[in-house]
Amino acid sequence: MHDKTYDSILQLGTQTDTGDAEGAVVRRAPVPSLTRDRVAAVLDSFVGPLAQTPPAYSAVKVQGHPAYWWARRRQPVTLSPRLVRVDSLQLLECDAQTLTFRVRCSSGTYIRTLAESMAERLGTVGHLTRLVRLRIGDWHVDQATPLSWIQAASSDEVVRALLPMTTFGY
């Protein structure tokens, strides 16, 4: 498994059933007045090993189906906490209602769950409105080829653009 890096935006004051903007609002809470230093300290408190329970809307298999399959049928399942690792959690921007942050973490870390936990430690609720994976292992988003190029390219051009797995240590 590969470490990953994400950029994310956490909307404070509203919680959804999926932990992201696609879900239905399940809870609202006031957002306390926050300073950048307080927010940064809370983010720092998540760095290191962390027991994290996967969200109901995850791909974790339960009785042969992903957890989201059960959640969509409103049949709750119990998911066990897993040990994950947060290597760094950097506050990029902060205003009264939103936090923009970058997280470098182990494979298996659920950023939606992490964001909800961050909101809770800040004394409110929250959900992700943006999640962009910047890196997985040695692959970085800057190396990605735009879909428009792939759609317009010939099969031979696409094959020539592919990198061998050995480029990334495989």
Side-chain angles (χ1 to χ4, degrees):
M1 297 301 207
H2 298 287
D3 290 352
K4 299 173 183 173
T5 302
Y6 298 92
D7 273 356
S8 305
I9 297 177
L10 170 57
Q11 176 69 48
L12 299 171
T14 308
Q15 184 178 18
T16 67
D17 58 355
T18 59
D20 60 26
E22 299 296 317
V25 173
V26 293
R27 190 168 159 216
R28 295 182 192 279
V31 179
S33 179
L34 300 170
T35 65
R36 187 176 180 87
D37 287 344
R38 169 131 164 50
V39 172
V42 166
L43 269 61
D44 284 345
S45 73
F46 286 96
V47 175
L50 180 68
Q52 187 183 64
T53 302
Y57 286 88
S58 68
V60 173
K61 295 283 198 239
V62 178
Q63 299 174 13
H65 295 284
Y68 64 76
W69 186 87
W70 297 101
R72 288 180 183 147
R73 286 159 179 77
R74 305 212 185 283
Q75 297 179 22
V77 294
T78 301
L79 299 173
S80 300
R82 298 164 176 227
L83 189 61
V84 298
R85 188 186 72 254
V86 174
D87 295 318
S88 66
L89 193 47
Q90 178 186 8
L91 181 62
L92 302 175
E93 294 180 34
C94 175
D95 66 33
Q97 296 291 317
T98 60
L99 308 178
T100 303
F101 61 95
R102 180 169 293 152
V103 60
R104 190 168 45 90
C105 58
S106 65
S107 182
T109 304
Y110 288 92
I111 307 305
R112 289 175 291 153
T113 301
L114 178 64
E116 288 177 329
S117 297
M118 290 164 40
E120 184 180 321
R121 284 196 193 169
L122 290 168
T124 188
V125 295
H127 69 276
L128 286 185
T129 59
R130 181 172 189 251
L131 179 64
V132 176
R133 187 178 334 183
L134 301 175
R135 183 189 61 80
I136 178 169
D138 291 331
W139 289 285
H140 195 278
V141 71
D142 294 341
Q143 298 167 297
T145 301
L147 181 57
S148 58
W149 181 88
I150 295 169
Q151 290 171 326
S154 71
S155 299
D156 289 339
E157 288 173 313
V158 171
V159 168
R160 283 193 300 273
L162 294 174
L163 297 173
M165 295 296 285
T166 55
T167 303
F168 301 101
Y170 292 95

